[in-house]
Amino acid sequence: NAGVTQTPKFQVLKTGQSMTLQCAQDMNHNSMYWYRQDPGMGLRLIYYSASEGTTDKGEVPNGYNVSRLNKREFSLRLESAAPSQTSVYFCASSEAGREAWGYTFGSGTRLTVV
Amino acid sequence: TQLLEQSPQFLSIQEGENLTVYCNSSSVFSSLQWYRQEPGEGPVLLVTVVTGGEVKKLKRLTFQFGDARKDSSLHITAAQPGDTGLYLCGSSNTGKLIFGQGTTLQVKP
Protein backbone atom coordinates (compact mmCIF):
# COMPACT_ATOMS: atom_id res chain seq x y z
CA ASN A 1 0.00 0.00 0.00
CA ALA A 2 1.20 3.52 -0.80
CA GLY A 3 2.09 5.62 2.18
CA VAL A 4 4.73 6.59 4.73
CA THR A 5 6.95 3.91 6.22
CA GLN A 6 8.86 4.45 9.46
CA THR A 7 11.54 2.27 10.99
CA PRO A 8 12.05 1.08 13.63
CA LYS A 9 8.64 0.81 15.29
CA PHE A 10 10.08 0.52 18.79
CA GLN A 11 13.45 1.48 20.29
CA VAL A 12 14.98 1.69 23.74
CA LEU A 13 18.12 3.79 24.14
CA LYS A 14 20.39 4.57 27.02
CA THR A 15 21.05 8.21 27.83
CA GLY A 16 23.81 9.50 25.59
CA GLN A 17 23.36 6.94 22.81
CA SER A 18 22.66 8.04 19.28
CA MET A 19 20.25 6.72 16.69
CA THR A 20 18.58 7.58 13.41
CA LEU A 21 14.88 7.24 12.72
CA GLN A 22 14.14 6.43 9.11
CA CYS A 23 11.18 7.59 7.04
CA ALA A 24 10.30 6.92 3.41
CA GLN A 25 7.25 7.87 1.34
CA ASP A 26 6.21 6.55 -2.06
CA MET A 27 3.61 9.17 -3.00
CA ASN A 28 6.03 11.50 -4.78
CA HIS A 29 5.34 14.22 -2.21
CA ASN A 30 7.67 17.18 -2.05
CA SER A 31 7.19 18.05 1.63
CA MET A 32 8.09 15.88 4.60
CA TYR A 33 7.85 16.44 8.34
CA TRP A 34 8.91 15.03 11.68
CA TYR A 35 6.62 15.39 14.71
CA ARG A 36 6.79 14.15 18.26
CA GLN A 37 3.72 13.28 20.28
CA ASP A 38 3.57 13.48 24.04
CA PRO A 39 0.51 12.99 26.27
CA GLY A 40 -1.67 16.10 26.48
CA MET A 41 0.48 18.05 24.00
CA GLY A 42 -0.79 16.92 20.64
CA LEU A 43 1.78 16.73 17.85
CA ARG A 44 4.69 19.18 17.83
CA LEU A 45 6.75 19.83 14.73
CA ILE A 46 10.47 19.07 15.08
CA TYR A 47 11.79 19.68 11.55
CA TYR A 48 10.37 19.83 8.09
CA SER A 49 11.60 19.71 4.51
CA ALA A 50 9.64 21.64 1.89
CA SER A 51 11.57 20.02 -0.93
CA GLU A 52 14.58 17.84 -1.62
CA GLY A 53 17.72 19.58 -0.41
CA THR A 54 16.02 21.92 2.07
CA THR A 55 15.28 21.55 5.77
CA ASP A 56 13.95 23.97 8.38
CA LYS A 57 13.41 23.98 12.12
CA GLY A 58 10.00 23.53 13.58
CA GLU A 59 8.71 24.21 17.07
CA VAL A 60 10.99 21.84 19.04
CA PRO A 61 14.24 21.23 17.09
CA ASN A 62 16.77 21.17 19.96
CA GLY A 63 18.59 17.84 20.29
CA TYR A 64 17.70 16.68 16.78
CA ASN A 65 19.14 16.80 13.29
CA VAL A 66 17.58 15.81 9.99
CA SER A 67 18.66 14.78 6.52
CA ARG A 68 16.55 14.88 3.38
CA LEU A 69 18.43 12.13 1.59
CA ASN A 70 16.35 12.31 -1.59
CA LYS A 71 12.74 13.01 -2.47
CA ARG A 72 11.55 9.81 -0.82
CA GLU A 73 13.54 9.73 2.40
CA PHE A 74 13.75 12.03 5.42
CA SER A 75 15.67 10.86 8.48
CA LEU A 76 15.75 12.18 12.05
CA ARG A 77 18.88 11.79 14.16
CA LEU A 78 19.33 11.98 17.90
CA GLU A 79 23.03 12.55 18.54
CA SER A 80 22.96 12.14 22.32
CA ALA A 81 19.62 10.86 23.55
CA ALA A 82 18.10 12.28 26.72
CA PRO A 83 15.15 11.00 28.79
CA SER A 84 13.19 14.12 27.70
CA GLN A 85 13.26 12.70 24.17
CA THR A 86 11.16 9.73 25.21
CA SER A 87 8.17 10.12 22.91
CA VAL A 88 6.35 8.77 19.90
CA TYR A 89 7.80 10.14 16.66
CA PHE A 90 5.75 10.51 13.51
CA CYS A 91 6.90 11.22 10.01
CA ALA A 92 4.45 12.77 7.54
CA SER A 93 4.40 13.94 3.96
CA SER A 94 2.26 16.23 1.85
CA GLU A 95 2.09 17.69 -1.62
CA ALA A 96 3.78 21.09 -1.61
CA GLY A 97 1.22 23.87 -1.81
CA ARG A 98 -1.54 21.32 -1.22
CA GLU A 99 -1.34 21.08 2.54
CA ALA A 100 -5.12 21.50 2.67
CA TRP A 101 -5.36 18.10 1.01
CA GLY A 102 -4.01 16.65 4.22
CA TYR A 103 -0.87 15.04 5.51
CA THR A 104 -0.16 11.33 5.32
CA PHE A 105 1.41 9.99 8.48
CA GLY A 106 3.46 6.93 9.21
CA SER A 107 2.54 4.61 12.07
CA GLY A 108 5.18 6.03 14.39
CA THR A 109 8.36 5.09 16.25
CA ARG A 110 8.00 4.61 19.97
CA LEU A 111 11.25 5.69 21.59
CA THR A 112 12.17 5.24 25.24
CA VAL A 113 15.36 6.77 26.63
CA VAL A 114 16.45 5.34 29.97
CA THR B 1 2.41 31.99 16.42
CA GLN B 2 -1.01 30.51 15.91
CA LEU B 3 -2.24 28.31 18.73
CA LEU B 4 -5.08 25.84 18.50
CA GLU B 5 -7.09 25.11 21.61
CA GLN B 6 -9.20 21.96 21.70
CA SER B 7 -11.89 21.14 24.21
CA PRO B 8 -12.66 19.00 25.97
CA GLN B 9 -9.37 17.11 26.39
CA PHE B 10 -11.14 13.91 27.52
CA LEU B 11 -14.60 12.61 26.87
CA SER B 12 -16.07 9.30 28.06
CA ILE B 13 -19.61 8.56 26.94
CA GLN B 14 -22.01 5.67 26.46
CA GLU B 15 -22.79 4.21 23.07
CA GLY B 16 -25.63 6.10 21.41
CA GLU B 17 -24.88 9.48 22.96
CA ASN B 18 -24.05 12.59 20.96
CA LEU B 19 -20.95 14.71 21.48
CA THR B 20 -19.23 17.83 20.21
CA VAL B 21 -15.51 18.64 20.15
CA TYR B 22 -14.30 22.21 19.67
CA CYS B 23 -11.20 23.76 18.12
CA ASN B 24 -10.51 27.47 18.61
CA SER B 25 -7.83 29.97 17.72
CA SER B 26 -7.20 33.69 18.19
CA SER B 27 -6.07 33.82 14.55
CA VAL B 28 -7.94 33.24 11.34
CA PHE B 29 -7.50 29.83 9.76
CA SER B 30 -6.78 29.59 6.05
CA SER B 31 -8.11 26.05 6.31
CA LEU B 32 -8.65 23.54 9.08
CA GLN B 33 -8.31 19.80 9.16
CA TRP B 34 -9.66 17.17 11.49
CA TYR B 35 -7.78 13.92 12.04
CA ARG B 36 -8.55 10.77 13.98
CA GLN B 37 -5.81 8.70 15.54
CA GLU B 38 -6.23 5.16 16.81
CA PRO B 39 -3.86 3.61 19.36
CA GLY B 40 -0.57 2.57 17.79
CA GLU B 41 -1.23 4.36 14.52
CA GLY B 42 -0.62 7.74 12.97
CA PRO B 43 -3.37 10.35 12.49
CA VAL B 44 -5.67 9.90 9.53
CA LEU B 45 -7.35 12.83 7.80
CA LEU B 46 -11.13 12.99 8.22
CA VAL B 47 -11.95 16.30 6.54
CA THR B 48 -10.64 19.70 5.48
CA VAL B 49 -12.82 22.81 5.82
CA VAL B 50 -11.88 25.94 3.94
CA THR B 51 -14.82 28.33 3.68
CA GLY B 52 -16.27 30.29 6.62
CA GLY B 53 -19.64 28.81 7.60
CA GLU B 54 -18.91 25.57 5.79
CA VAL B 55 -20.57 22.37 7.02
CA LYS B 56 -19.37 18.94 5.94
CA LYS B 57 -20.86 15.59 6.82
CA LEU B 58 -19.13 12.24 6.94
CA LYS B 59 -21.73 9.61 7.92
CA ARG B 60 -22.46 10.36 11.62
CA LEU B 61 -19.78 13.07 11.83
CA THR B 62 -20.62 16.72 11.13
CA PHE B 63 -17.87 19.31 10.81
CA GLN B 64 -18.52 23.05 10.99
CA PHE B 65 -16.21 25.94 10.23
CA GLY B 66 -17.03 29.21 11.98
CA ASP B 67 -18.10 32.19 9.91
CA ALA B 68 -14.98 34.11 10.97
CA ARG B 69 -12.78 31.06 10.35
CA LYS B 70 -11.42 31.15 13.91
CA ASP B 71 -13.23 28.10 15.25
CA SER B 72 -14.45 24.70 14.21
CA SER B 73 -16.45 21.89 15.72
CA LEU B 74 -16.86 18.18 15.23
CA HIS B 75 -20.20 16.68 16.18
CA ILE B 76 -20.74 12.93 16.39
CA THR B 77 -24.29 11.61 16.42
CA ALA B 78 -25.10 8.30 18.13
CA ALA B 79 -21.50 7.51 19.01
CA GLN B 80 -20.30 3.93 18.62
CA PRO B 81 -17.36 2.11 20.27
CA GLY B 82 -15.59 2.26 16.90
CA ASP B 83 -15.46 6.06 17.25
CA THR B 84 -13.06 5.68 20.17
CA GLY B 85 -9.77 7.46 19.52
CA LEU B 86 -7.87 10.72 19.62
CA TYR B 87 -9.34 13.56 17.56
CA LEU B 88 -6.99 16.30 16.44
CA CYS B 89 -7.59 19.58 14.70
CA GLY B 90 -4.80 21.04 12.61
CA SER B 91 -4.18 24.19 10.62
CA SER B 92 -1.44 25.09 8.15
CA ASN B 93 -1.48 28.87 7.71
CA THR B 94 2.29 28.86 7.26
CA GLY B 95 2.48 25.73 5.14
CA LYS B 96 3.36 23.67 8.20
CA LEU B 97 0.59 21.86 9.98
CA ILE B 98 0.19 22.71 13.68
CA PHE B 99 -2.14 20.78 15.94
CA GLY B 100 -4.34 21.26 18.94
CA GLN B 101 -3.71 19.13 22.02
CA GLY B 102 -6.30 16.59 20.93
CA THR B 103 -9.51 15.20 22.41
CA THR B 104 -9.44 11.63 23.67
CA LEU B 105 -12.84 10.03 23.13
CA GLN B 106 -13.91 6.81 24.77
CA VAL B 107 -17.25 5.31 23.79
CA LYS B 108 -18.39 2.56 26.11
CA PRO B 109 -20.65 -0.23 24.82
Side-chain angles (χ1 to χ4, degrees):
Chain A
N1 291 336
V4 177
T5 302
Q6 292 184 236
T7 56
K9 290 190 182 299
F10 301 93
Q11 184 70 50
V12 178
L13 290 179
K14 293 182 179 179
T15 298
Q17 286 186 320
S18 62
M19 80 161 293
T20 299
L21 281 63
Q22 306 288 351
C23 175
Q25 52 92 10
D26 59 5
M27 295 169 288
N28 203 37
H29 285 167
N30 288 309
S31 303
M32 297 185 74
Y33 313 84
W34 277 104
Y35 288 88
R36 61 176 288 172
Q37 185 173 38
D38 302 292
M41 302 191 75
L43 287 148
R44 292 182 292 169
L45 183 64
I46 305 171
Y47 270 94
Y48 67 102
S49 172
S51 61
E52 185 178 353
T54 68
T55 61
D56 284 290
K57 295 178 180 179
E59 182 185 357
V60 289
N62 291 345
Y64 305 95
N65 286 299
V66 291
S67 295
R68 183 73 182 267
L69 305 171
N70 47 56
K71 192 172 185 179
R72 290 186 64 247
E73 297 172 287
F74 188 37
S75 62
L76 178 71
R77 183 161 178 85
L78 287 69
E79 290 291 352
S80 179
S84 61
Q85 293 177 306
T86 293
S87 188
V88 183
Y89 292 85
F90 288 98
C91 178
S93 70
S94 70
E95 187 57 43
R98 299 283 190 268
E99 288 79 15
W101 291 5
Y103 285 22
T104 301
F105 284 85
S107 57
T109 295
R110 284 142 190 83
L111 175 67
T112 301
V113 183
V114 298
Chain B
T1 302
Q2 182 174 36
L3 296 175
L4 300 180
E5 296 287 337
Q6 276 188 249
S7 61
Q9 284 198 14
F10 301 98
L11 202 50
S12 181
I13 61 172
Q14 293 295 135
E15 181 176 2
E17 292 183 1
N18 302 331
L19 66 114
T20 303
V21 176
Y22 300 93
C23 179
N24 297 287
S25 174
S26 57
S27 304
V28 173
F29 301 123
S30 58
S31 64
L32 188 117
Q33 299 172 6
W34 285 95
Y35 289 78
R36 185 170 79 191
Q37 184 180 13
E38 298 186 13
E41 298 295 329
V44 176
L45 180 70
L46 294 172
V47 77
T48 300
V49 286
V50 178
T51 307
E54 184 176 5
V55 177
K56 284 191 173 180
K57 292 193 174 185
L58 189 66
K59 295 183 181 178
R60 293 175 294 100
L61 279 61
T62 301
F63 303 86
Q64 288 191 304
F65 202 16
D67 291 340
R69 292 188 291 128
K70 289 186 175 183
D71 59 278
S72 181
S73 64
L74 158 60
H75 182 79
I76 301 179
T77 302
Q80 299 177 359
D83 296 325
T84 292
L86 177 67
Y87 290 81
L88 294 155
C89 65
S91 178
S92 59
N93 274 8
T94 58
K96 306 179 297 292
L97 199 61
I98 61 168
F99 289 91
Q101 317 96 306
T103 295
T104 300
L105 172 63
Q106 181 186 42
V107 182
K108 302 174 190 174

